[in-house]
Amino acid sequence: MQYSMKYIFGFAAALCLICSVLISVANVGLRDRQEINKQLDKKKSVLQAACLIQAGEKTNRARIESLFENIRARVIDLSAGRVLDDVDSARFNEEDIPEQPAPANKAGIRTLRNQMLIYEVMDGDRISMFVLPIVGKGLWSTMYGFLALDADTKTIRGLTYYDQGETPGLGGEVTNPKWTALWPGRVAYDENWHPAITVVKGSAGSVEEAPHEVDGLSGATITSRSVMEMLRFWLGDDGFGPFLKQYRESGQA
Ligand SMILES: Cc1cc2nc3c(=O)[nH]c(=O)nc-3n(C[C@H](O)[C@H](O)[C@H](O)COP(=O)(O)O)c2cc1C
């Protein structure tokens, strides 16, 4: 049977229209679910940074939510270094906070928001760990992750990246559990509370041998350096330094 050009184009246009309507409906209809999954994914990364779940471990929503019951989300004023008790962390959306130009830094961070969401892992009434969001430029991508710090505010308890676009097998090894396992126990600051964590080229040795150093990723010196620079930025005076200092000086550390 021969179809006219008008029929063929009409049919194709109608098919496109039906498909785009279906995709739009699915997109709108699943938006809530996407948001829930996004939040769940973030919680999972926080738990991974805190080593409360292992990378690659099979988890479900119930387990994540149950582990999260011991985690308190807090909104802090970055420059003042204090918790904003009057801001409800459950309703906090960092996108609502205006971005300001960041001070000069080596982490490729151009803008900052003065209010940020952090997490406190609780052991009863006391804080056992902080989980802090970190972001910075890698070789190809902006890398997003979490750093878990002990309540002594200097001992690293874990590091995880949940969003990065470095080359798989090279910079992308920042998510390799063998590499992230090298971080717990390393000491983030020197004795004068200056960020001292260093990602070295090659092998750093054990925590006892090199408390401030971590092995670089082979063939990915640039990404390794980016990790170091972003950690130093976020641990420093323009990042969470003032908040951690205030916590230490409050006598709770
Ligand atoms: C296709 C391709 C992808 C690369 N991806 C990365 C990367 O994700 N991270 C990185 O640091 N270096 C990457 N590199 C290597 C860098 O260009 C650079 O050579 C490297 O960081 C130097 O590290 P090295 O001194 O350990 O060899 C890539 C190179 C090529 C050719």
Side-chain angles (χ1 to χ4, degrees):
M1 199 197 315
Q2 281 280 351
Y3 293 109
S4 69
M5 287 300 268
K6 203 169 146 194
Y7 177 87
I8 292 168
F9 279 110
F11 183 81
L15 197 63
C16 288
L17 192 70
I18 291 168
C19 290
S20 51
V21 168
L22 285 178
I23 290 168
S24 304
V25 168
N27 187 26
V28 172
L30 293 174
R31 200 163 282 165
D32 283 354
R33 220 152 127 191
Q34 284 169 0
E35 192 46 41
I36 291 170
N37 283 341
K38 220 168 111 187
Q39 293 301 328
L40 213 59
D41 234 36
K42 206 162 179 188
K43 285 182 173 175
K44 197 171 156 188
S45 304
V46 170
L47 292 168
Q48 259 176 28
C51 296
L52 295 174
I53 55 174
Q54 303 313 311
E57 181 182 328
K58 282 247 177 288
T59 46
N60 55 28
R61 189 172 168 185
R63 178 158 154 76
I64 291 172
E65 296 293 4
S66 123
L67 287 168
F68 229 81
E69 277 170 18
N70 292 328
I71 297 186
R72 196 162 69 171
R74 311 275 265 166
V75 178
I76 64 160
D77 179 310
L78 203 62
S79 53
R82 62 184 182 87
V83 172
L84 297 170
D85 285 313
D86 50 336
V87 180
D88 179 2
S89 60
R91 290 167 184 271
F92 179 74
N93 181 3
E94 65 171 31
E95 312 264 298
D96 297 339
I97 309 300
E99 288 184 302
Q100 296 159 356
N105 64 80
K106 294 181 180 169
I109 298 163
R110 293 217 190 97
T111 58
L112 277 181
R113 292 186 164 98
N114 198 42
Q115 289 182 18
M116 293 190 69
L117 193 63
I118 64 143
Y119 301 88
E120 294 169 348
V121 181
M122 304 304 293
D123 179 7
D125 285 348
R126 51 172 282 279
I127 296 170
S128 76
M129 224 184 299
F130 294 101
V131 181
L132 309 170
I134 51 167
V135 58
K137 278 260 180 277
L139 173 59
W140 309 115
S141 64
T142 301
M143 303 164 70
Y144 298 86
F146 288 108
L147 172 73
L149 266 191
D150 190 272
D152 69 8
T153 72
K154 63 179 181 189
T155 309
I156 294 174
R157 301 276 293 268
L159 173 73
T160 183
Y161 283 97
Y162 61 90
D163 188 5
Q164 53 79 28
E166 302 297 284
T167 313
L170 294 171
E173 291 293 289
V174 286
T175 59
N176 186 328
K178 284 193 187 141
W179 189 69
T180 53
L182 299 173
W183 288 84
R186 308 282 166 175
V187 182
Y189 290 99
D190 66 16
E191 59 281 4
N192 298 314
W193 292 102
H194 293 135
I197 197 73
T198 305
V199 181
V200 298
K201 208 169 161 139
S203 173
S206 67
V207 170
E208 292 72 29
E209 289 161 345
H212 300 303
E213 296 178 357
V214 180
D215 303 6
L217 295 163
S218 60
T221 301
I222 300 170
T223 307
S224 305
R225 213 180 160 77
S226 305
V227 170
M228 175 177 92
E229 294 298 353
M230 85 176 76
L231 289 180
R232 288 185 175 192
F233 176 87
W234 288 107
L235 291 163
D237 292 343
D238 298 316
F240 298 109
F243 166 72
L244 296 169
K245 183 168 186 248
Q246 288 216 16
Y247 176 76
R248 272 194 309 277
E249 290 176 356
S250 72
Q252 297 172 74

